[in-house]
Amino acid sequence: MKCGKTPLSFRGIAWCNLKRRPFRTVCLISLVAVLACVLFGGSAIIGSVVSGTDGLSKRLGADILILPSGYDKTIEGILLRGEPSTFFMEREWAEKIYEVEGVIAASPQLMVASFNASCCSIPAQIIGIEQDTDFIVEPWIRTSLPGRLSDGDIVVGGAVSGKPGGRLNFFGREYRIAAKMENTGTGFDGSIFMDMDSARRAARDRSEMTGDPPPPGGAISSVAVLTDGRFTPNAMADRIYSRFGYGKSGIAVVPAKEIIGNVSGGLRTLAGFVTAFAAVLWLLCVLALSVVFSVMTNERKREFGILRSLGITRKKLASLVVLESAAISAAGGLTGIFLSALLILPFRVYIKTTISMPYMHMPPAQMLAAAAGSLAVSFAAGMLASLCSSARICARETYGVIREGDA
Amino acid sequence: MIIEALCLKKKYFRDENSFMAVDGASLSVGEGEFVCVTGRSGSGKTTLLNMLAGLLPPDSGSVTFEGREYGGMNDDELSELRNTRLGYIMQGPGVLANFTVTQNVILPHVISGREGDPTDRAMSLLEQTGIRGLAAQYPSSLSGGELRRVAVARALLMSPKLLIADEPTGDLDEETTRGIMDLFSSIAKEGTAILMVTHDAETARRCDRRYDMKAGRITSPGAHLG
Ligand SMILES: Nc1ncnc2c1ncn2[C@@H]1O[C@H](COP(=O)(O)OP(=O)(O)O)[C@@H](O)[C@H]1O
Ligand SMILES: [Mg+2]
């Protein structure tokens, strides 16, 4: 809209007041924009990380994981950061654990890491599952794959490139992508799932290539355990340890919550810190804007006096001020969110590695909600700040009386 | 009678002390009359005009405009009256810097919220006030006399019954003053009553009647001149 033209509307008065004072307007907009930028940036990053770990704890339906001792950090890397590993333990552990009182399900997995070489399409974590006992990935693969996984079929995580029907090579063998899962924001997104027998063959293929010792016959890497809930995961871990002998058994019993808990504990601190920072910033912003609006209102006394002398009511004059600050707040909020998105999206990868949470994940709907929330909160800051000024216009006679001294 | 003020009083506070800026002033302006108020700076003229325009509530006394008493009117009613029945030309520069000359002139119409495009009427008023050529300019490029003419044109937009002007020639040279006074005379002849404040006795001679103000009081009873 262009200023300087007639006819002029009431809204046009507000618009031209903003447009004809570009420096003042830009300064005010910037102030709100900074607020919105921080609010949206903060909520987007924290939201992604939180929903990433939420996804993980939902996906990992196990109470306890049994691993070869010393591999508890390795499993964290696989689940949280998608760092592929290969390790083995004996098949018997699945049955042994199943016999412990309180265990209602125990299912083995086999972990094989593919690598970045001509033999393999991509470096990825291959996870073999026992389809008869599995309760972790099975129900979740079910949603994308109706039947059973037959030999040579794989299900790929959401971040793996390739479509259903496509092919991927691992250790010189070709596999058919039977299904692709949704992104979950966990290490599973970069994983390849196959049947236990196929995975054992892949492990043998791998050791032939690397020269590593071949896996013992019927090897597994981990056992996922579901308990009946009579004992806490920690108590269950103690029972398993005491049954098989601390230290001597060669296994690590890790309550699943501990893996996720490590992350979410740190997250909670981070989220709290960012929230506190945002709150302080919000208050500062409201204060600064209040001062600016108040100074501005004082400076515009004569302008308001002229409008009053021309017959504008107090209410309408206040609504003019509200209209102007609403435009500033909205423009500032939108600019800030836009800038924030511009900063976050290209640097997503960098941010992920910096906070060592590669599996950040925020569904678009949630992203939109964060944007709308940040916009609302920064808009509210601008409006709140102008409230005092407009209330003063409504209440006092100052803005009607023009004296020589006022210029 | 268009406007009638009875015994208006207004007290102001300066530091700890109070003083009467307007102290029992009464005056009236009839249909089509050109009335002047003279007085030295600080005698309370502006305060009086602000009360007459309903911008400032008096401590006591009453103002009646076309038979309606301000005391019984709310802000909406008083604003409407200022918008349509009473043109007010304030002391000093009274033009909004963010709007062109034409936009400034049509502001009362915009404020009224009425339908229609007042641009043609604004143009003919700019013609009448002799600044038609400046219609598209912003106020920053106008001289003091030109700005005053914009304010006059704007005050006349809604065809008010009364024009109140606070020292409209106060800061102008003789030549320009004469031009503005000629304009006022012609407006008065066309039937719009004028109440004008000036501290210049020479200028006041062009009025039909004249009140004198001193320390908040009207000292001469609005005698007819000439
Ligand atoms: N809002 C105010 N508060 C305090 N004193 C005021 C105020 N407005 C005007 N005055 C004082 O009241 C007196 C009359 O002012 P004013 O009506 O502007 O006089 P004039 O227009 O005749 O020069 C002056 O002494 C002025 O300083
Ligand atoms: Mg004065």
Side-chain angles (χ1 to χ4, degrees):
Chain A
M1 196 166 54
K2 225 170 130 56
C3 282
K5 294 267 174 273
T6 59
L8 181 69
S9 65
F10 184 72
R11 247 177 281 149
I13 296 181
W15 173 253
C16 292
N17 278 338
L18 295 176
K19 205 178 165 195
R20 297 272 304 161
R21 289 280 173 277
F23 181 73
R24 183 175 79 190
T25 306
V26 166
C27 284
L28 287 168
I29 288 178
S30 308
L31 208 56
V32 182
V34 168
L35 178 66
C37 188
V38 171
L39 287 179
F40 179 60
S43 57
I45 292 174
I46 291 200
S48 317
V49 174
V50 166
S51 84
T53 34
D54 271 4
L56 182 65
S57 44
K58 265 194 220 107
R59 300 308 172 193
L60 198 70
D63 299 320
I64 291 171
L65 293 175
I66 312 289
L67 304 156
S69 67
Y71 280 92
D72 33 357
K73 283 280 169 271
T74 313
I75 195 75
E76 247 186 69
I78 292 174
L79 295 178
L80 300 179
R81 293 185 290 279
E83 296 163 357
S85 298
T86 307
F87 53 93
F88 304 114
M89 61 196 271
E90 282 157 27
R91 160 82 192 129
E92 287 67 50
W93 279 111
E95 279 99 52
K96 283 190 198 162
I97 297 295
Y98 187 63
E99 270 146 30
V100 176
E101 193 198 350
V103 171
I104 52 176
S107 174
Q109 292 82 38
L110 185 68
M111 303 291 181
V112 184
S114 77
F115 37 72
N116 211 351
S118 58
C119 67
C120 306
S121 306
I122 43 163
Q125 179 68 60
I126 294 171
I127 303 179
I129 52 167
E130 196 176 74
Q131 296 192 70
D132 291 332
T133 56
D134 181 63
F135 57 90
I136 304 184
V137 266
E138 186 79 354
W140 164 44
I141 288 178
R142 270 289 110 77
T143 60
S144 42
L145 181 79
R148 280 174 75 91
L149 271 174
S150 41
D151 189 29
D153 277 358
I154 53 174
V155 172
V156 299
V160 174
S161 55
K163 288 193 182 68
R167 315 258 156 190
L168 288 177
N169 273 327
F170 293 107
F171 316 114
R173 207 179 290 276
E174 195 177 67
Y175 296 85
R176 193 184 69 92
I177 301 178
K180 182 166 186 166
M181 296 184 297
E182 301 267 300
N183 263 318
T184 60
T186 69
F188 289 151
D189 289 355
S191 301
I192 310 288
F193 298 92
M194 54 177 78
D195 182 62
M196 188 57 92
D197 292 333
S198 308
R200 289 202 178 107
R201 192 181 52 210
R204 283 194 301 275
D205 290 345
R206 184 183 192 275
S207 66
E208 268 165 40
M209 283 192 176
T210 57
D212 290 345
I220 58 170
S221 306
S222 59
V223 181
V225 178
L226 206 59
T227 67
D228 60 9
R230 263 182 301 158
F231 308 100
T232 64
N234 280 320
M236 274 309 285
D238 280 341
R239 294 171 66 84
I240 294 170
Y241 274 134
S242 59
R243 167 113 180 228
F244 300 107
Y246 286 98
K248 286 179 295 199
S249 60
I251 55 165
V253 184
V254 185
K257 281 214 172 66
E258 238 164 59
I259 301 173
I260 301 153
N262 278 344
V263 186
S264 40
L267 269 182
R268 234 171 289 129
T269 323
L270 179 71
F273 180 73
V274 172
T275 309
F277 178 72
V280 170
L281 186 79
W282 189 82
L283 262 179
L284 275 178
C285 199
V286 170
L287 260 169
L289 279 171
S290 297
V291 170
V292 175
F293 277 126
S294 157
V295 167
M296 224 168 76
T297 308
N298 222 28
E299 194 186 75
R300 296 175 70 184
K301 230 156 135 175
R302 184 169 185 90
E303 183 186 332
F304 295 155
I306 293 170
L307 288 170
R308 283 287 284 159
S309 79
L310 298 178
I312 199 168
T313 62
R314 282 183 201 288
K315 272 176 264 159
K316 257 191 143 176
L317 186 58
S319 78
L320 188 70
V321 172
V322 167
L323 201 61
E324 287 180 26
S325 50
I328 284 168
S329 310
L334 288 173
T335 311
I337 286 164
F338 180 72
L339 284 180
S340 196
L342 223 56
L343 283 174
I344 290 175
L345 294 180
F347 294 110
R348 214 166 25 180
V349 178
Y350 176 75
I351 294 170
K352 280 178 182 185
T353 39
T354 311
I355 59 177
S356 74
M357 280 297 303
Y359 287 93
M360 294 202 311
H361 175 66
M362 198 154 174
Q366 220 174 312
M367 206 69 144
L368 274 179
S374 317
L375 182 65
V377 170
S378 35
F379 184 81
M383 296 314 286
L384 193 67
S386 71
L387 209 68
C388 294
S389 302
S390 29
R392 233 171 53 190
I393 289 167
C394 279
R396 290 242 307 263
E397 66 189 35
T398 324
Y399 302 98
V401 184
I402 301 103
R403 294 161 52 207
E404 288 145 276
D406 303 334
Chain B
M1 221 39 77
I2 291 183
I3 194 165
E4 188 158 30
L6 278 176
C7 204
L8 288 176
K9 290 191 182 180
K10 188 73 192 178
K11 186 193 276 178
Y12 277 136
F13 295 88
R14 184 173 285 154
D15 302 326
E16 304 286 274
N17 315 314
S18 70
F19 68 99
M20 300 301 293
V22 173
D23 193 7
S26 303
L27 61 71
S28 62
V29 180
E31 202 93 24
E33 258 194 316
F34 189 176
V35 177
C36 282
V37 178
T38 57
R40 292 175 44 189
S41 181
S43 56
K45 306 183 295 297
T46 298
T47 306
L48 175 65
L49 292 195
N50 275 323
M51 290 191 286
L52 293 177
L55 287 164
L56 181 69
D59 294 339
S60 64
S62 71
V63 181
T64 312
F65 190 96
E66 292 185 312
R68 296 175 75 195
E69 227 253 72
Y70 285 2
M73 292 161 78
N74 61 26
D75 181 57
D76 287 1
E77 291 167 328
L78 278 171
S79 299
E80 153 109 23
L81 183 145
R82 267 197 304 279
N83 186 231
T84 58
R85 313 295 295 163
L86 190 157
Y88 192 90
I89 298 163
M90 64 180 58
Q91 190 164 12
V95 179
L96 295 183
N98 295 339
F99 302 90
T100 63
V101 166
T102 315
Q103 285 184 319
N104 261 285
V105 173
I106 65 167
L107 274 175
H109 183 270
V110 179
I111 288 169
S112 75
R114 290 184 192 177
E115 298 284 311
D117 185 354
T119 310
D120 288 345
R121 167 141 179 86
M123 286 305 165
S124 76
L125 284 168
L126 289 176
E127 188 79 61
Q128 190 188 341
T129 49
I131 47 169
R132 173 73 211 255
L134 301 172
Q137 299 304 310
Y138 278 96
S140 53
S141 65
L142 269 62
S143 72
E146 287 161 349
L147 287 175
R148 200 53 42 79
R149 285 167 194 271
V150 177
V152 174
R154 187 177 61 194
L156 291 173
L157 185 83
M158 305 298 272
S159 312
K161 294 294 283 183
L162 174 69
L163 199 64
I164 293 183
D166 194 353
E167 307 209 29
T169 60
D171 46 1
L172 303 179
D173 59 75
E174 258 174 66
E175 179 89 24
T176 318
T177 297
R178 203 170 310 122
I180 296 278
M181 289 313 293
D182 288 345
L183 178 61
F184 275 15
S185 296
S186 72
I187 290 165
K189 271 201 198 82
E190 281 169 24
T192 307
I194 299 178
L195 177 64
M196 187 184 96
V197 155
T198 175
H199 59 249
D200 177 24
E202 190 65 29
T203 309
R205 211 168 290 162
R206 307 269 302 249
C207 303
D208 298 335
R209 283 194 299 125
R210 173 177 157 182
Y211 293 97
D212 250 322
M213 228 179 148
K214 205 175 249 170
R217 291 169 198 270
I218 301 255
T219 51
S220 79
H224 279 272
L225 303 170

